[in-house]
Amino acid sequence: RSYREIHKAYEKLKPYGDQPDDIIVFKRMEHSQKAALTTMSKAGFIDSKSYIDGRVVFTDQRLSKELSSRIKEICSSNTELYSLLKLLVSNYQLTGNNGLKKRSKLMEYRYDLV
């Protein structure tokens, strides 16, 4: 299925009810995301120096078998959504004139270094 078809299918589900504007939700998530990245950095999954410099660089450290199994279970129950997210992350740059920041309109992109 196409990106648009998957989006339309999931748009109707609304498992958490009606939500505020996308930009508001995205901004509210920022603190949780930063806390998660900081935890991953301290646990050795993200390179600490790169994270301090504002970049996320994964290390070779592997997840426990238990956590890895749980993630696979969750992803297998949402295969289309997981595939879509994986494609977006691997096929599109975050920054720049054609990046996800501009396309999603969730983050400022005009001052990105290109």
Side-chain angles (χ1 to χ4, degrees):
R1 296 196 322 172
S2 73
Y3 295 143
R4 284 185 169 75
E5 290 174 22
I6 295 170
H7 169 74
K8 285 180 183 178
Y10 277 88
E11 186 175 43
K12 295 175 185 173
L13 293 178
K14 295 190 180 189
Y16 304 106
D18 289 329
Q19 296 293 315
D21 179 65
D22 290 345
I23 294 173
I24 292 170
V25 172
F26 190 76
K27 288 184 187 230
R28 287 181 183 171
M29 291 172 46
E30 182 179 4
H31 299 292
S32 299
Q33 296 293 327
K34 284 183 178 179
L37 289 169
T38 299
T39 300
M40 290 174 71
S41 174
K42 289 182 179 181
F45 293 105
I46 292 174
D47 179 68
S48 298
K49 184 178 181 332
S50 297
Y51 182 61
I52 290 169
D53 292 339
R55 296 179 298 126
V56 175
V57 177
F58 291 98
T59 65
D60 292 333
Q61 185 165 330
R62 296 289 170 224
L63 300 173
S64 69
K65 287 183 182 181
E66 180 182 333
L67 182 56
S68 185
S69 294
R70 179 72 177 122
I71 291 169
K72 285 178 185 175
E73 179 184 317
I74 291 168
C75 291
S76 67
S77 67
N78 295 299
T79 54
E80 284 186 324
L81 182 60
Y82 176 71
S83 295
L84 174 63
L85 293 173
K86 191 173 171 182
L87 280 171
L88 287 174
V89 170
S90 60
N91 292 344
Y92 294 96
Q93 294 288 327
L94 177 64
T95 58
N97 209 23
N98 199 28
L100 288 173
K101 287 168 64 174
K102 180 178 181 182
R103 288 169 170 256
S104 68
K105 300 178 183 151
L106 293 174
M107 299 172 74
E108 177 57 58
Y109 65 91
R110 293 174 293 183
Y111 306 107
D112 291 346
L113 293 175
V114 276

